[in-house]
């Protein structure tokens, strides 16, 4: 039982909500006819707000006198929360 590991699906529930995940744990030591079962164990999973991901930036752009540039034209900001349903461009 010390090796029990729970790996939740990341960003599955909406920030800032939580949910209760039930477990059924069964142990069998081969000395009893039926395994001992516990189906009342639960775990509360809380959604955590992840930072946004910024991509498409270009560093060290040169601009000359009377010139112009568009430093954010290729930038995309993506939020991975809520199964990546949030996206700003």
């Amino acid at each position: 039982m010390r090796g029990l590991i729970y790996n939740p699906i990341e960003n599955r529930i909406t920030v800032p909500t939580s949910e209760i995940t039930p477990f059924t744990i069964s142990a069998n030591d081969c000395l009893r006819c039926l395994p001992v079962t516990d189906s009342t164990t639960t775990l509360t999973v809380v959604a955590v707000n992840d930072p946004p991901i910024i991509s498409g930036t270009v560093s060290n752009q040169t601009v000359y006198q009377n010139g112009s540039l568009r430093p954010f034209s290729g930038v995309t900001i993506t939020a991975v929360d809520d199964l990546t349903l949030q996206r700003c461009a």
Side-chain angles (χ1 to χ4, degrees):
M1 297 310 245
R2 291 184 185 133
L4 183 64
I5 297 173
Y6 176 70
N7 291 318
I9 298 170
E10 291 187 27
N11 305 308
R12 191 185 69 74
I13 58 176
T14 306
V15 174
T17 61
S18 63
E19 72 179 4
I20 296 175
T21 303
F23 286 92
T24 299
I25 301 171
S26 180
N28 188 348
D29 64 2
C30 298
L31 297 176
R32 294 179 160 222
C33 294
L34 297 174
V36 176
T37 304
D38 168 28
S39 59
T40 60
T41 302
T42 61
L43 175 70
T44 301
V45 179
V46 179
V48 176
N49 191 14
D50 295 304
I53 298 169
I54 301 173
S55 60
T57 59
V58 178
S59 63
N60 299 321
Q61 296 183 52
T62 302
V63 63
Y64 298 100
Q65 181 179 0
N66 297 326
S68 64
L69 56 89
R70 299 177 64 203
F72 303 107
S73 63
V75 172
T76 301
I77 301 172
T78 306
V80 298
D81 296 318
D82 307 332
L83 287 177
T84 66
L85 298 177
Q86 304 174 35
R87 183 181 170 97
C88 306

